[in-house]
Each structure stands twice: as structure tokens, then as C-alpha cells.
Amino acid sequence: GAGVSQSPRYKVAKRGQDVALRCDPISGHVSLFWYQQALGQGPEFLTYFQNEAQLDKSGLPSDRFFAERPEGSVSTLKIQRTQQEDSAVYLCASSPRDRGGTDTQYFGPGTRLTVL
Amino acid sequence: GDSVTQMEGPVTLSEEAFLTINCTYTATGYPSLFWYVQYPGEGLQLLLKATKADDKGSNKGFEATYRKETTSFHLEKGSVQVSDSAVYFCALPDSNYQLIWGAGTKLIIKP
């Protein structure tokens, strides 16, 4: 079956532009996570959804970051007025149950965002 | 708060050498522990996990034992191959919904 997919794979934005990053989780997976990964570092948690409910958004770095999962499947991470420090790889992961981080997570390939 | 510390890389070994990548953690209680791997150009994938103290996770010749007395989860492999070249991450779930990640250890295997 299909794994987690993300689009676009690469995005170049000019500073100040808005961007939208899409994640298609594995069908039927309850939990969905977004992470930010800077070059040479481990992923940093951004936000967590259980079905359509956003249960934890404590990792979102500013109010320019917004995530949604309106029907409990596809999720979109939106970044408004992008800044150079937003340049990173954005990872999406899903897991089958509502166990949060204790369950195995299945990762997409990531979206590499470069802000010029 | 909870944290994970991994040995810094890169770790460079010759093929068939023995591998150890150290991981220690601080956590409330006894969470599950994970090793994820990121091969060049690919996404993160679970390598192995252990859910309780003294458990040994294993996969693809890699092993790690959950040691609560030393708060460690070191990754080992007896004979590495060039195809094992990747970045390895140790991780644990915190009390909420997050996975807490180590910084990653880049492994380079030379033929």
C-alpha cells in the first residue's frame, strides 16, 4: 500500500510569501504529526492531530505557522509571510492509533523549503 | 524535561567492522525507545524499538537493549555494510504527544 506522501518535495519562496505544504497520511491512520528538521539536526515537533482534532500545537514557532486536517485525513501546514529562518525540511508522519508519540510513526519524504 | 543525547558523528568505519552508536536519555517513567534511520535521499523509517526495560529491539542485524540502570539504548551491529551508511536517530515519546529526538549520528561505511 501507499506510504505517507508529501507535496511539493521542494519549494522555493521569496521572503514574505505564503506557502502551503500538503501531507497525505497512510489511509486510516488516526494520528498525524508535523516536524521541522534543520540541516544536520534531528526533527523538531511542530504539531499533532488525532483525526481532525489538533491536540498539540505547542511546537509551532510563531503565529505565522498554521496547520489543519479538516476531514481527518489530508493535512496542510501553512506558513505565512515566510522568513529565511523558516528554511528547513518539513516532515509529516502518521501512525495508526491514538497513542501519540508512543506508536511507531511512518514518515513521508519531506518538503524542503528554501526561503530567499 | 525529557531529552535524548547521541554520540556525535560522523562515525566512519570499514566494511565488516563492529558498530556502536551511543544513546542516553532522561525521562519521566519508562517510555518506549526508538531508533530511526534516514538513508540518503529517503525519509525517516523505524529501525527498531523497545517498549520496556531489558527489552532488546532488533532488525536488519542491528540490536539495542533498553537499559534503565544506565538510561541507555545503544545501537549495535556486528558487521556493517556499505548499505548501512545513513543517519541514525534515537528517540523517545514524552508525556504528551511528542517524540523527543537526538541530533542524529551520521554513519559512513567505506568498502
Side-chain angles (χ1 to χ4, degrees):
Chain A
V4 178
S5 61
Q6 292 185 245
S7 60
R9 291 291 310 277
Y10 303 90
K11 176 69 179 177
V12 178
K14 292 183 179 179
R15 189 162 57 92
Q17 280 185 332
D18 297 349
V19 298
L21 312 180
R22 177 187 170 105
C23 172
D24 284 83
I26 294 172
S27 178
H29 276 199
V30 170
S31 296
L32 185 144
F33 305 79
W34 282 99
Y35 296 90
Q36 182 188 61
Q37 187 177 21
L39 189 64
Q41 297 186 20
E44 295 280 344
F45 171 83
L46 294 178
T47 188
Y48 166 66
F49 289 86
Q50 192 177 105
N51 296 308
E52 70 277 4
Q54 189 175 21
L55 298 189
D56 188 346
K57 54 181 181 179
S58 63
L60 295 176
S62 77
D63 59 7
R64 296 185 295 104
F65 287 71
F66 171 77
E68 61 183 4
R69 193 186 185 198
E71 297 178 358
S73 56
V74 172
S75 177
T76 303
L77 176 67
K78 297 179 179 177
I79 309 173
Q80 297 177 323
R81 304 181 304 281
T82 52
Q83 304 294 316
Q84 285 188 323
E85 61 263 28
D86 300 335
S87 296
V89 176
Y90 290 85
L91 300 171
C92 176
S94 69
S95 63
R97 298 174 293 183
D98 58 352
R99 304 279 182 90
T102 60
D103 223 352
T104 298
Q105 295 182 27
Y106 298 84
F107 282 82
T111 295
R112 182 177 297 278
L113 173 64
T114 303
V115 181
L116 302 177
Chain B
D2 297 353
S3 66
V4 174
T5 303
Q6 287 182 237
M7 63 188 293
E8 288 190 21
V11 173
T12 304
L13 296 172
S14 297
E15 209 166 17
E16 300 183 2
F18 184 86
L19 167 71
T20 300
I21 299 178
N22 290 339
C23 171
T24 57
Y25 66 90
T26 58
T28 304
Y30 302 103
S32 297
L33 298 173
F34 300 87
W35 277 101
Y36 280 81
V37 59
Q38 190 168 33
Y39 296 104
E42 298 184 19
L44 280 159
Q45 55 186 274
L46 179 70
L47 179 60
L48 55 84
K49 69 177 182 181
T51 58
K52 61 183 187 295
D54 299 325
D55 263 5
K56 178 184 286 187
S58 60
N59 185 28
K60 300 183 180 180
F62 290 88
E63 293 183 340
T65 301
Y66 190 155
R67 304 275 190 206
K68 68 176 183 179
E69 62 275 8
T70 54
T71 61
S72 65
F73 192 54
H74 303 323
L75 183 68
E76 297 182 334
K77 186 174 185 181
S79 177
V80 292
Q81 306 299 313
V82 172
S83 57
D84 294 327
S85 298
V87 182
Y88 293 81
F89 293 91
C90 185
L92 62 86
D94 75 355
S95 56
N96 295 314
Y97 304 101
Q98 304 182 25
L99 263 182
I100 307 298
W101 297 80
T105 303
K106 184 173 184 177
L107 175 65
I108 301 169
I109 306 299
K110 296 187 173 180

